[in-house]
Amino acid sequence: MKNYFKLLLVFVLIGLLQSCTNKTVYEDTLVIKGGTIMDVSNNGTSTNDIKNKAIIIKADTIFAIVDASQLSKKQQNVITASGKFIMPGLTDGFTVLNNQSYANAFLYMGITD
């Protein structure tokens, strides 16, 4: 009986080790992890910001938002945004980008769209 218990314990430990090491590597993606994703719903007054997630961007599109703990350490193209806020791009529809000086001014203010 003791041998069966030991064998069962070994299988449980192997299963736990495999679950801890099975982390996902997303191929051909850009990953932004660790920042706080701002919830801008309700005219920006929402308090449902999302923390400790990773945004998976594939082919210029948000592919998925997953727990940052699911990412493998082998993941490439990772931007660490710890302590920073991630929010949707803002576009000022009343401006005109007709030269590089305007684009530089917007980039300086943090607006990239």
PDB file of all heavy atoms in Angstrom, residues 1-36:
ATOM      1  N   MET A   1       0.823  -1.192   0.000  1.00  0.00           N
ATOM      2  CA  MET A   1       0.000   0.000   0.000  1.00  0.00           C
ATOM      3  C   MET A   1       0.866   1.256   0.000  1.00  0.00           C
ATOM      4  O   MET A   1       0.540   2.223  -0.655  1.00  0.00           O
ATOM      5  CB  MET A   1      -0.935  -0.047   1.216  1.00  0.00           C
ATOM      6  CG  MET A   1      -1.955   1.031   1.204  1.00  0.00           C
ATOM      7  SD  MET A   1      -3.111   0.722  -0.130  1.00  0.00           S
ATOM      8  CE  MET A   1      -4.488   1.597   0.401  1.00  0.00           C
ATOM      9  N   LYS A   2       1.965   1.219   0.732  1.00  0.00           N
ATOM     10  CA  LYS A   2       2.841   2.374   0.795  1.00  0.00           C
ATOM     11  C   LYS A   2       3.467   2.657  -0.563  1.00  0.00           C
ATOM     12  O   LYS A   2       3.667   3.809  -0.914  1.00  0.00           O
ATOM     13  CB  LYS A   2       3.926   2.167   1.850  1.00  0.00           C
ATOM     14  CG  LYS A   2       3.416   2.199   3.261  1.00  0.00           C
ATOM     15  CD  LYS A   2       4.544   2.049   4.237  1.00  0.00           C
ATOM     16  CE  LYS A   2       4.013   2.056   5.659  1.00  0.00           C
ATOM     17  NZ  LYS A   2       5.078   1.924   6.643  1.00  0.00           N
ATOM     18  N   ASN A   3       3.765   1.602  -1.308  1.00  0.00           N
ATOM     19  CA  ASN A   3       4.365   1.785  -2.624  1.00  0.00           C
ATOM     20  C   ASN A   3       3.384   2.472  -3.577  1.00  0.00           C
ATOM     21  O   ASN A   3       3.775   3.295  -4.398  1.00  0.00           O
ATOM     22  CB  ASN A   3       4.832   0.459  -3.204  1.00  0.00           C
ATOM     23  CG  ASN A   3       6.060  -0.071  -2.481  1.00  0.00           C
ATOM     24  OD1 ASN A   3       6.798   0.704  -1.881  1.00  0.00           O
ATOM     25  ND2 ASN A   3       6.259  -1.377  -2.520  1.00  0.00           N
ATOM     26  N   TYR A   4       2.103   2.119  -3.497  1.00  0.00           N
ATOM     27  CA  TYR A   4       1.099   2.773  -4.338  1.00  0.00           C
ATOM     28  C   TYR A   4       0.971   4.257  -4.000  1.00  0.00           C
ATOM     29  O   TYR A   4       0.824   5.095  -4.872  1.00  0.00           O
ATOM     30  CB  TYR A   4      -0.266   2.089  -4.194  1.00  0.00           C
ATOM     31  CG  TYR A   4      -0.318   0.721  -4.823  1.00  0.00           C
ATOM     32  CD1 TYR A   4      -0.568  -0.399  -4.052  1.00  0.00           C
ATOM     33  CD2 TYR A   4      -0.119   0.560  -6.185  1.00  0.00           C
ATOM     34  CE1 TYR A   4      -0.618  -1.648  -4.614  1.00  0.00           C
ATOM     35  CE2 TYR A   4      -0.163  -0.699  -6.764  1.00  0.00           C
ATOM     36  CZ  TYR A   4      -0.405  -1.798  -5.982  1.00  0.00           C
ATOM     37  OH  TYR A   4      -0.452  -3.032  -6.554  1.00  0.00           O
ATOM     38  N   PHE A   5       1.035   4.548  -2.710  1.00  0.00           N
ATOM     39  CA  PHE A   5       0.964   5.946  -2.281  1.00  0.00           C
ATOM     40  C   PHE A   5       2.158   6.738  -2.804  1.00  0.00           C
ATOM     41  O   PHE A   5       2.019   7.856  -3.294  1.00  0.00           O
ATOM     42  CB  PHE A   5       0.894   6.027  -0.751  1.00  0.00           C
ATOM     43  CG  PHE A   5       0.818   7.430  -0.239  1.00  0.00           C
ATOM     44  CD1 PHE A   5      -0.339   8.181  -0.410  1.00  0.00           C
ATOM     45  CD2 PHE A   5       1.900   8.013   0.390  1.00  0.00           C
ATOM     46  CE1 PHE A   5      -0.408   9.482   0.046  1.00  0.00           C
ATOM     47  CE2 PHE A   5       1.845   9.312   0.842  1.00  0.00           C
ATOM     48  CZ  PHE A   5       0.679  10.056   0.674  1.00  0.00           C
ATOM     49  N   LYS A   6       3.345   6.153  -2.721  1.00  0.00           N
ATOM     50  CA  LYS A   6       4.540   6.824  -3.230  1.00  0.00           C
ATOM     51  C   LYS A   6       4.449   7.039  -4.738  1.00  0.00           C
ATOM     52  O   LYS A   6       4.828   8.087  -5.253  1.00  0.00           O
ATOM     53  CB  LYS A   6       5.791   6.018  -2.888  1.00  0.00           C
ATOM     54  CG  LYS A   6       6.168   6.048  -1.425  1.00  0.00           C
ATOM     55  CD  LYS A   6       7.394   5.191  -1.156  1.00  0.00           C
ATOM     56  CE  LYS A   6       7.713   5.169   0.331  1.00  0.00           C
ATOM     57  NZ  LYS A   6       8.859   4.290   0.615  1.00  0.00           N
ATOM     58  N   LEU A   7       3.972   6.022  -5.446  1.00  0.00           N
ATOM     59  CA  LEU A   7       3.824   6.132  -6.897  1.00  0.00           C
ATOM     60  C   LEU A   7       2.817   7.222  -7.258  1.00  0.00           C
ATOM     61  O   LEU A   7       3.059   8.026  -8.171  1.00  0.00           O
ATOM     62  CB  LEU A   7       3.399   4.788  -7.474  1.00  0.00           C
ATOM     63  CG  LEU A   7       3.345   4.678  -8.993  1.00  0.00           C
ATOM     64  CD1 LEU A   7       4.727   4.921  -9.583  1.00  0.00           C
ATOM     65  CD2 LEU A   7       2.844   3.304  -9.399  1.00  0.00           C
ATOM     66  N   LEU A   8       1.708   7.271  -6.545  1.00  0.00           N
ATOM     67  CA  LEU A   8       0.711   8.314  -6.772  1.00  0.00           C
ATOM     68  C   LEU A   8       1.294   9.692  -6.504  1.00  0.00           C
ATOM     69  O   LEU A   8       1.080  10.634  -7.274  1.00  0.00           O
ATOM     70  CB  LEU A   8      -0.515   8.072  -5.887  1.00  0.00           C
ATOM     71  CG  LEU A   8      -1.629   9.107  -5.988  1.00  0.00           C
ATOM     72  CD1 LEU A   8      -2.239   9.098  -7.385  1.00  0.00           C
ATOM     73  CD2 LEU A   8      -2.690   8.852  -4.946  1.00  0.00           C
ATOM     74  N   LEU A   9       2.062   9.822  -5.439  1.00  0.00           N
ATOM     75  CA  LEU A   9       2.697  11.096  -5.105  1.00  0.00           C
ATOM     76  C   LEU A   9       3.667  11.526  -6.203  1.00  0.00           C
ATOM     77  O   LEU A   9       3.707  12.698  -6.583  1.00  0.00           O
ATOM     78  CB  LEU A   9       3.416  10.983  -3.759  1.00  0.00           C
ATOM     79  CG  LEU A   9       4.063  12.252  -3.232  1.00  0.00           C
ATOM     80  CD1 LEU A   9       3.016  13.333  -3.011  1.00  0.00           C
ATOM     81  CD2 LEU A   9       4.814  11.976  -1.957  1.00  0.00           C
ATOM     82  N   VAL A  10       4.418  10.595  -6.756  1.00  0.00           N
ATOM     83  CA  VAL A  10       5.346  10.910  -7.848  1.00  0.00           C
ATOM     84  C   VAL A  10       4.578  11.423  -9.056  1.00  0.00           C
ATOM     85  O   VAL A  10       4.961  12.413  -9.689  1.00  0.00           O
ATOM     86  CB  VAL A  10       6.210   9.671  -8.199  1.00  0.00           C
ATOM     87  CG1 VAL A  10       6.951   9.873  -9.507  1.00  0.00           C
ATOM     88  CG2 VAL A  10       7.190   9.375  -7.078  1.00  0.00           C
ATOM     89  N   PHE A  11       3.476  10.770  -9.413  1.00  0.00           N
ATOM     90  CA  PHE A  11       2.683  11.215 -10.573  1.00  0.00           C
ATOM     91  C   PHE A  11       2.086  12.606 -10.350  1.00  0.00           C
ATOM     92  O   PHE A  11       2.035  13.427 -11.254  1.00  0.00           O
ATOM     93  CB  PHE A  11       1.576  10.203 -10.901  1.00  0.00           C
ATOM     94  CG  PHE A  11       2.061   8.994 -11.631  1.00  0.00           C
ATOM     95  CD1 PHE A  11       1.790   7.729 -11.151  1.00  0.00           C
ATOM     96  CD2 PHE A  11       2.808   9.117 -12.799  1.00  0.00           C
ATOM     97  CE1 PHE A  11       2.241   6.602 -11.818  1.00  0.00           C
ATOM     98  CE2 PHE A  11       3.257   8.001 -13.473  1.00  0.00           C
ATOM     99  CZ  PHE A  11       2.982   6.737 -12.988  1.00  0.00           C
ATOM    100  N   VAL A  12       1.633  12.866  -9.151  1.00  0.00           N
ATOM    101  CA  VAL A  12       1.078  14.189  -8.836  1.00  0.00           C
ATOM    102  C   VAL A  12       2.160  15.253  -8.958  1.00  0.00           C
ATOM    103  O   VAL A  12       1.947  16.322  -9.539  1.00  0.00           O
ATOM    104  CB  VAL A  12       0.435  14.189  -7.427  1.00  0.00           C
ATOM    105  CG1 VAL A  12       0.127  15.606  -6.986  1.00  0.00           C
ATOM    106  CG2 VAL A  12      -0.814  13.338  -7.424  1.00  0.00           C
ATOM    107  N   LEU A  13       3.336  14.971  -8.429  1.00  0.00           N
ATOM    108  CA  LEU A  13       4.436  15.940  -8.521  1.00  0.00           C
ATOM    109  C   LEU A  13       4.864  16.174  -9.962  1.00  0.00           C
ATOM    110  O   LEU A  13       5.132  17.305 -10.365  1.00  0.00           O
ATOM    111  CB  LEU A  13       5.625  15.470  -7.678  1.00  0.00           C
ATOM    112  CG  LEU A  13       5.429  15.550  -6.168  1.00  0.00           C
ATOM    113  CD1 LEU A  13       6.618  14.930  -5.440  1.00  0.00           C
ATOM    114  CD2 LEU A  13       5.219  16.974  -5.724  1.00  0.00           C
ATOM    115  N   ILE A  14       4.909  15.129 -10.768  1.00  0.00           N
ATOM    116  CA  ILE A  14       5.258  15.283 -12.189  1.00  0.00           C
ATOM    117  C   ILE A  14       4.214  16.151 -12.880  1.00  0.00           C
ATOM    118  O   ILE A  14       4.544  17.037 -13.667  1.00  0.00           O
ATOM    119  CB  ILE A  14       5.396  13.912 -12.871  1.00  0.00           C
ATOM    120  CG1 ILE A  14       6.657  13.206 -12.373  1.00  0.00           C
ATOM    121  CG2 ILE A  14       5.432  14.059 -14.390  1.00  0.00           C
ATOM    122  CD1 ILE A  14       6.793  11.771 -12.839  1.00  0.00           C
ATOM    123  N   GLY A  15       2.942  15.921 -12.588  1.00  0.00           N
ATOM    124  CA  GLY A  15       1.882  16.734 -13.176  1.00  0.00           C
ATOM    125  C   GLY A  15       1.990  18.194 -12.780  1.00  0.00           C
ATOM    126  O   GLY A  15       1.813  19.092 -13.604  1.00  0.00           O
ATOM    127  N   LEU A  16       2.312  18.458 -11.518  1.00  0.00           N
ATOM    128  CA  LEU A  16       2.474  19.840 -11.066  1.00  0.00           C
ATOM    129  C   LEU A  16       3.659  20.509 -11.757  1.00  0.00           C
ATOM    130  O   LEU A  16       3.585  21.667 -12.161  1.00  0.00           O
ATOM    131  CB  LEU A  16       2.650  19.891  -9.552  1.00  0.00           C
ATOM    132  CG  LEU A  16       1.404  19.638  -8.719  1.00  0.00           C
ATOM    133  CD1 LEU A  16       1.760  19.541  -7.236  1.00  0.00           C
ATOM    134  CD2 LEU A  16       0.384  20.718  -8.953  1.00  0.00           C
ATOM    135  N   LEU A  17       4.756  19.795 -11.893  1.00  0.00           N
ATOM    136  CA  LEU A  17       5.930  20.363 -12.565  1.00  0.00           C
ATOM    137  C   LEU A  17       5.632  20.674 -14.019  1.00  0.00           C
ATOM    138  O   LEU A  17       6.034  21.704 -14.551  1.00  0.00           O
ATOM    139  CB  LEU A  17       7.124  19.411 -12.450  1.00  0.00           C
ATOM    140  CG  LEU A  17       7.781  19.331 -11.089  1.00  0.00           C
ATOM    141  CD1 LEU A  17       8.854  18.251 -11.071  1.00  0.00           C
ATOM    142  CD2 LEU A  17       8.391  20.672 -10.714  1.00  0.00           C
ATOM    143  N   GLN A  18       4.910  19.779 -14.694  1.00  0.00           N
ATOM    144  CA  GLN A  18       4.578  20.033 -16.101  1.00  0.00           C
ATOM    145  C   GLN A  18       3.641  21.219 -16.247  1.00  0.00           C
ATOM    146  O   GLN A  18       3.789  22.020 -17.158  1.00  0.00           O
ATOM    147  CB  GLN A  18       3.950  18.791 -16.728  1.00  0.00           C
ATOM    148  CG  GLN A  18       4.949  17.699 -16.998  1.00  0.00           C
ATOM    149  CD  GLN A  18       4.305  16.471 -17.606  1.00  0.00           C
ATOM    150  OE1 GLN A  18       3.091  16.327 -17.577  1.00  0.00           O
ATOM    151  NE2 GLN A  18       5.128  15.588 -18.141  1.00  0.00           N
ATOM    152  N   SER A  19       2.702  21.365 -15.340  1.00  0.00           N
ATOM    153  CA  SER A  19       1.788  22.500 -15.436  1.00  0.00           C
ATOM    154  C   SER A  19       2.502  23.809 -15.164  1.00  0.00           C
ATOM    155  O   SER A  19       2.134  24.853 -15.680  1.00  0.00           O
ATOM    156  CB  SER A  19       0.602  22.322 -14.485  1.00  0.00           C
ATOM    157  OG  SER A  19       1.043  22.405 -13.154  1.00  0.00           O
ATOM    158  N   CYS A  20       3.543  23.778 -14.346  1.00  0.00           N
ATOM    159  CA  CYS A  20       4.298  24.991 -14.053  1.00  0.00           C
ATOM    160  C   CYS A  20       5.206  25.378 -15.209  1.00  0.00           C
ATOM    161  O   CYS A  20       5.524  26.544 -15.390  1.00  0.00           O
ATOM    162  CB  CYS A  20       5.138  24.816 -12.790  1.00  0.00           C
ATOM    163  SG  CYS A  20       4.150  24.707 -11.293  1.00  0.00           S
ATOM    164  N   THR A  21       5.656  24.408 -15.982  1.00  0.00           N
ATOM    165  CA  THR A  21       6.592  24.699 -17.061  1.00  0.00           C
ATOM    166  C   THR A  21       5.910  24.860 -18.408  1.00  0.00           C
ATOM    167  O   THR A  21       6.549  25.268 -19.362  1.00  0.00           O
ATOM    168  CB  THR A  21       7.658  23.591 -17.165  1.00  0.00           C
ATOM    169  OG1 THR A  21       7.007  22.335 -17.379  1.00  0.00           O
ATOM    170  CG2 THR A  21       8.493  23.543 -15.904  1.00  0.00           C
ATOM    171  N   ASN A  22       4.636  24.538 -18.529  1.00  0.00           N
ATOM    172  CA  ASN A  22       3.918  24.684 -19.797  1.00  0.00           C
ATOM    173  C   ASN A  22       3.415  26.108 -19.948  1.00  0.00           C
ATOM    174  O   ASN A  22       2.257  26.398 -19.727  1.00  0.00           O
ATOM    175  CB  ASN A  22       2.734  23.708 -19.875  1.00  0.00           C
ATOM    176  CG  ASN A  22       3.175  22.305 -20.163  1.00  0.00           C
ATOM    177  OD1 ASN A  22       4.285  22.083 -20.631  1.00  0.00           O
ATOM    178  ND2 ASN A  22       2.316  21.352 -19.891  1.00  0.00           N
ATOM    179  N   LYS A  23       4.299  26.985 -20.335  1.00  0.00           N
ATOM    180  CA  LYS A  23       3.921  28.369 -20.549  1.00  0.00           C
ATOM    181  C   LYS A  23       3.910  28.619 -22.043  1.00  0.00           C
ATOM    182  O   LYS A  23       4.601  27.956 -22.803  1.00  0.00           O
ATOM    183  CB  LYS A  23       4.885  29.292 -19.822  1.00  0.00           C
ATOM    184  CG  LYS A  23       4.852  29.030 -18.323  1.00  0.00           C
ATOM    185  CD  LYS A  23       5.254  30.209 -17.549  1.00  0.00           C
ATOM    186  CE  LYS A  23       5.093  29.887 -16.073  1.00  0.00           C
ATOM    187  NZ  LYS A  23       5.116  31.036 -15.276  1.00  0.00           N
ATOM    188  N   THR A  24       3.133  29.579 -22.478  1.00  0.00           N
ATOM    189  CA  THR A  24       2.900  29.802 -23.891  1.00  0.00           C
ATOM    190  C   THR A  24       3.931  30.737 -24.499  1.00  0.00           C
ATOM    191  O   THR A  24       4.290  31.745 -23.899  1.00  0.00           O
ATOM    192  CB  THR A  24       1.487  30.394 -24.093  1.00  0.00           C
ATOM    193  OG1 THR A  24       0.554  29.542 -23.444  1.00  0.00           O
ATOM    194  CG2 THR A  24       1.137  30.517 -25.540  1.00  0.00           C
ATOM    195  N   VAL A  25       4.388  30.384 -25.692  1.00  0.00           N
ATOM    196  CA  VAL A  25       5.218  31.270 -26.501  1.00  0.00           C
ATOM    197  C   VAL A  25       4.387  31.638 -27.722  1.00  0.00           C
ATOM    198  O   VAL A  25       3.960  30.770 -28.477  1.00  0.00           O
ATOM    199  CB  VAL A  25       6.538  30.583 -26.942  1.00  0.00           C
ATOM    200  CG1 VAL A  25       7.306  31.485 -27.880  1.00  0.00           C
ATOM    201  CG2 VAL A  25       7.376  30.220 -25.745  1.00  0.00           C
ATOM    202  N   TYR A  26       4.116  32.912 -27.902  1.00  0.00           N
ATOM    203  CA  TYR A  26       3.349  33.391 -29.049  1.00  0.00           C
ATOM    204  C   TYR A  26       4.333  33.768 -30.149  1.00  0.00           C
ATOM    205  O   TYR A  26       5.187  34.616 -29.962  1.00  0.00           O
ATOM    206  CB  TYR A  26       2.487  34.595 -28.655  1.00  0.00           C
ATOM    207  CG  TYR A  26       1.396  34.244 -27.677  1.00  0.00           C
ATOM    208  CD1 TYR A  26       1.602  34.346 -26.308  1.00  0.00           C
ATOM    209  CD2 TYR A  26       0.165  33.801 -28.120  1.00  0.00           C
ATOM    210  CE1 TYR A  26       0.606  34.010 -25.407  1.00  0.00           C
ATOM    211  CE2 TYR A  26      -0.838  33.465 -27.229  1.00  0.00           C
ATOM    212  CZ  TYR A  26      -0.610  33.579 -25.875  1.00  0.00           C
ATOM    213  OH  TYR A  26      -1.597  33.245 -24.985  1.00  0.00           O
ATOM    214  N   GLU A  27       4.209  33.111 -31.300  1.00  0.00           N
ATOM    215  CA  GLU A  27       5.121  33.328 -32.421  1.00  0.00           C
ATOM    216  C   GLU A  27       4.692  34.542 -33.240  1.00  0.00           C
ATOM    217  O   GLU A  27       3.499  34.802 -33.398  1.00  0.00           O
ATOM    218  CB  GLU A  27       5.140  32.090 -33.324  1.00  0.00           C
ATOM    219  CG  GLU A  27       5.614  30.826 -32.627  1.00  0.00           C
ATOM    220  CD  GLU A  27       7.090  30.867 -32.261  1.00  0.00           C
ATOM    221  OE1 GLU A  27       7.860  31.540 -32.962  1.00  0.00           O
ATOM    222  OE2 GLU A  27       7.456  30.223 -31.260  1.00  0.00           O
ATOM    223  N   ASP A  28       5.667  35.261 -33.784  1.00  0.00           N
ATOM    224  CA  ASP A  28       5.438  36.408 -34.680  1.00  0.00           C
ATOM    225  C   ASP A  28       4.489  37.434 -34.069  1.00  0.00           C
ATOM    226  O   ASP A  28       3.526  37.866 -34.716  1.00  0.00           O
ATOM    227  CB  ASP A  28       4.896  35.933 -36.034  1.00  0.00           C
ATOM    228  CG  ASP A  28       5.855  34.991 -36.728  1.00  0.00           C
ATOM    229  OD1 ASP A  28       7.078  35.218 -36.629  1.00  0.00           O
ATOM    230  OD2 ASP A  28       5.390  34.034 -37.369  1.00  0.00           O
ATOM    231  N   THR A  29       4.733  37.793 -32.829  1.00  0.00           N
ATOM    232  CA  THR A  29       3.875  38.747 -32.144  1.00  0.00           C
ATOM    233  C   THR A  29       4.719  39.785 -31.414  1.00  0.00           C
ATOM    234  O   THR A  29       5.908  39.616 -31.221  1.00  0.00           O
ATOM    235  CB  THR A  29       2.981  38.053 -31.105  1.00  0.00           C
ATOM    236  OG1 THR A  29       3.807  37.394 -30.157  1.00  0.00           O
ATOM    237  CG2 THR A  29       2.030  37.066 -31.736  1.00  0.00           C
ATOM    238  N   LEU A  30       4.053  40.851 -31.029  1.00  0.00           N
ATOM    239  CA  LEU A  30       4.617  41.836 -30.117  1.00  0.00           C
ATOM    240  C   LEU A  30       3.811  41.721 -28.831  1.00  0.00           C
ATOM    241  O   LEU A  30       2.580  41.658 -28.868  1.00  0.00           O
ATOM    242  CB  LEU A  30       4.490  43.247 -30.691  1.00  0.00           C
ATOM    243  CG  LEU A  30       4.871  44.394 -29.755  1.00  0.00           C
ATOM    244  CD1 LEU A  30       6.372  44.357 -29.464  1.00  0.00           C
ATOM    245  CD2 LEU A  30       4.492  45.722 -30.361  1.00  0.00           C
ATOM    246  N   VAL A  31       4.494  41.666 -27.702  1.00  0.00           N
ATOM    247  CA  VAL A  31       3.821  41.488 -26.415  1.00  0.00           C
ATOM    248  C   VAL A  31       4.125  42.689 -25.530  1.00  0.00           C
ATOM    249  O   VAL A  31       5.278  43.075 -25.369  1.00  0.00           O
ATOM    250  CB  VAL A  31       4.291  40.193 -25.720  1.00  0.00           C
ATOM    251  CG1 VAL A  31       3.639  40.047 -24.356  1.00  0.00           C
ATOM    252  CG2 VAL A  31       4.000  38.982 -26.586  1.00  0.00           C
ATOM    253  N   ILE A  32       3.077  43.287 -24.986  1.00  0.00           N
ATOM    254  CA  ILE A  32       3.223  44.356 -24.000  1.00  0.00           C
ATOM    255  C   ILE A  32       2.717  43.788 -22.684  1.00  0.00           C
ATOM    256  O   ILE A  32       1.548  43.431 -22.570  1.00  0.00           O
ATOM    257  CB  ILE A  32       2.414  45.612 -24.387  1.00  0.00           C
ATOM    258  CG1 ILE A  32       2.803  46.095 -25.777  1.00  0.00           C
ATOM    259  CG2 ILE A  32       2.617  46.712 -23.351  1.00  0.00           C
ATOM    260  CD1 ILE A  32       1.927  47.201 -26.316  1.00  0.00           C
ATOM    261  N   LYS A  33       3.616  43.670 -21.700  1.00  0.00           N
ATOM    262  CA  LYS A  33       3.189  43.023 -20.452  1.00  0.00           C
ATOM    263  C   LYS A  33       3.512  43.875 -19.232  1.00  0.00           C
ATOM    264  O   LYS A  33       4.425  44.690 -19.244  1.00  0.00           O
ATOM    265  CB  LYS A  33       3.831  41.651 -20.307  1.00  0.00           C
ATOM    266  CG  LYS A  33       5.289  41.667 -19.952  1.00  0.00           C
ATOM    267  CD  LYS A  33       5.767  40.271 -19.626  1.00  0.00           C
ATOM    268  CE  LYS A  33       7.130  40.336 -18.991  1.00  0.00           C
ATOM    269  NZ  LYS A  33       7.551  39.083 -18.458  1.00  0.00           N
ATOM    270  N   GLY A  34       2.714  43.663 -18.207  1.00  0.00           N
ATOM    271  CA  GLY A  34       3.010  44.247 -16.909  1.00  0.00           C
ATOM    272  C   GLY A  34       2.381  45.595 -16.626  1.00  0.00           C
ATOM    273  O   GLY A  34       2.361  46.024 -15.488  1.00  0.00           O
ATOM    274  N   GLY A  35       1.869  46.272 -17.612  1.00  0.00           N
ATOM    275  CA  GLY A  35       1.275  47.580 -17.370  1.00  0.00           C
ATOM    276  C   GLY A  35      -0.174  47.466 -16.932  1.00  0.00           C
ATOM    277  O   GLY A  35      -0.748  46.385 -16.886  1.00  0.00           O
ATOM    278  N   THR A  36      -0.757  48.584 -16.594  1.00  0.00           N
ATOM    279  CA  THR A  36      -2.176  48.641 -16.246  1.00  0.00           C
ATOM    280  C   THR A  36      -2.951  49.098 -17.472  1.00  0.00           C
ATOM    281  O   THR A  36      -2.719  50.184 -17.992  1.00  0.00           O
ATOM    282  CB  THR A  36      -2.414  49.625 -15.088  1.00  0.00           C
ATOM    283  OG1 THR A  36      -1.661  49.191 -13.955  1.00  0.00           O
ATOM    284  CG2 THR A  36      -3.880  49.715 -14.722  1.00  0.00           C
TER     285      THR A  36
END
